[in-house]
Amino acid sequence: AAKGPAPHLRRSGGAATVKTMLLEWCRARTHGYPHVDVQNFSGSWGSGLAFCALLHSFFPDAFDFAALEPTARRDNFALAFATAEERAGCAPLLEVEDMVRLPVPDAKCVYTYVQELYRCLVAKGLVKTKKR
């Protein structure tokens, strides 16, 4: 059986395939959200809106996505991380200050956080996985 942060994404092909599948999952969950276009695990997450959209897709009553502004990066990251911790039980692996310090977030940090969020959502039964 696969082990690690996102065992349900594990398929033959290794880490690159898991990363691609996780990116596709993020893209599908955030499709249609304004100012969100997930193409990678770095620049696509720079405004914080991709995190907000991902969480809003699971917890639409948590906040008003339409009221968010792409330029309010600090507020967007703070909202997303607080919602992930409160609603999904996701460990606070990223700091708001670290995210706003750089114009483009670190891809490894974003990927690790999204893996943890995915794992937490699976554990809560909010993401259905295929049994093998």
Side-chain angles (χ1 to χ4, degrees):
K3 301 257 188 269
H8 303 290
L9 290 177
R10 186 86 49 210
R11 299 284 186 273
S12 60
T17 303
V18 172
K19 192 171 187 177
T20 300
M21 291 176 73
L22 193 60
L23 188 64
E24 289 298 323
W25 174 77
C26 291
R27 190 176 291 139
R29 292 297 313 197
T30 61
H31 180 75
Y33 278 88
H35 308 290
V36 176
D37 182 20
V38 176
Q39 296 297 321
N40 54 49
F41 284 111
S42 57
S44 296
W45 304 81
S47 71
L49 288 181
F51 287 110
C52 289
L54 187 56
L55 286 153
H56 190 263
S57 76
F58 287 98
F59 309 107
D61 62 328
F63 55 87
D64 179 8
F65 186 88
L68 304 180
E69 292 292 332
T71 55
R73 295 176 69 220
R74 183 180 314 281
D75 294 338
N76 296 339
F77 287 122
L79 177 63
F81 299 159
T83 302
E85 190 171 5
E86 292 165 14
R87 298 287 184 105
C90 186
L93 301 177
L94 295 178
E95 295 287 333
V96 172
E97 292 307 313
D98 291 339
M99 297 303 288
V100 296
R101 189 170 28 108
L102 300 170
V104 178
D106 180 79
K108 289 180 183 173
C109 292
V110 172
Y111 176 58
T112 300
Y113 186 84
V114 172
Q115 277 185 309
E116 176 64 9
L117 178 59
Y118 180 90
R119 188 193 64 73
C120 291
L121 292 167
V122 167
K124 287 197 165 289
L126 297 172
V127 173
K128 304 298 178 210
T129 58
K130 293 179 181 175
K131 301 286 184 211
R132 297 201 288 170

